[in-house]
Amino acid sequence: MTVKTILGTNTTTMYRQLTDQAEKYLRSLYQQDDIAGQLKRKLAELMSYGEANADAACGALKLSRRTLQRRLKAERTSFQKVLKEVRAELAINYLRDARLKSLEIAMLLGYSNISTFTTAFKSWYNVPPAEYRQKFLAIS
């Protein structure tokens, strides 16, 4: 499922803005040359295509799963940890956009429902996404 599928067909402007947000996040990651940094960049790109999984990431990085796993382990991390970091950062970026509904954000991040996304967000930031959004938008 692509971002355009999730958001509908008449959302070219919104799609461009979301892509810009993801690219801004990617640029911040380009300072990292290690395999975890490379993986973060690829996962952020792949999320826009609904392909943020280990097989797609390995293909994009031109590495076998075992090689990726071994290199991440050498950096004291794992695929799941890196995926979680990317989702956590993008979640904040997406929540800042008041036009995006929670379900849309959940789908953009690869979650099948709001409940799973809310649980993950609370584990990252100790506050539900709706409460974070209220506090953030109140400050802005």
Side-chain angles (χ1 to χ4, degrees):
M1 183 176 302
T2 67
V3 173
K4 286 184 179 181
T5 304
I6 294 167
L7 299 176
T9 55
N10 295 325
T11 59
T12 304
T13 302
M14 184 181 289
Y15 178 75
R16 193 173 318 122
Q17 290 171 339
L18 292 173
T19 304
D20 289 345
Q21 287 177 6
E23 286 175 3
K24 181 180 176 185
Y25 174 64
L26 288 173
R27 283 191 297 275
S28 74
L29 295 175
Y30 278 110
Q31 300 167 1
Q32 303 174 5
D33 288 331
D34 57 6
I35 192 66
Q38 293 174 37
L39 178 59
K40 285 178 183 179
R41 289 190 294 274
K42 289 299 176 190
L43 286 173
E45 288 174 24
L46 291 168
M47 268 188 209
S48 66
Y49 303 107
E51 302 267 333
N53 59 61
D55 290 333
C58 287
L61 291 169
K62 296 178 177 50
L63 297 172
S64 70
R65 279 184 85 137
R66 181 65 189 120
T67 299
L68 178 62
Q69 183 180 33
R70 189 174 55 253
R71 289 185 182 175
L72 290 171
K73 186 176 181 181
E75 294 178 12
R76 302 186 195 283
T77 192
S78 68
F79 178 83
Q80 289 302 319
K81 286 180 185 176
V82 173
L83 178 61
K84 183 170 78 169
E85 290 171 14
V86 171
R87 283 177 165 168
E89 182 65 32
L90 287 176
I92 292 295
N93 289 337
Y94 292 150
L95 283 169
R96 289 180 178 146
D97 188 338
R99 297 167 299 175
L100 288 174
K101 296 178 178 142
S102 292
L103 178 60
E104 292 169 333
I105 294 170
M107 300 299 284
L108 287 167
L109 297 174
Y111 293 103
S112 58
N113 58 55
I114 294 174
S115 176
T116 308
F117 167 59
T118 299
T119 300
F121 193 90
K122 284 170 69 175
S123 76
W124 304 327
Y125 299 108
N126 296 320
V127 62
E131 186 177 329
Y132 174 87
R133 178 175 261 173
Q134 285 176 332
K135 288 180 179 180
F136 178 80
L137 293 177
I139 293 171
S140 297

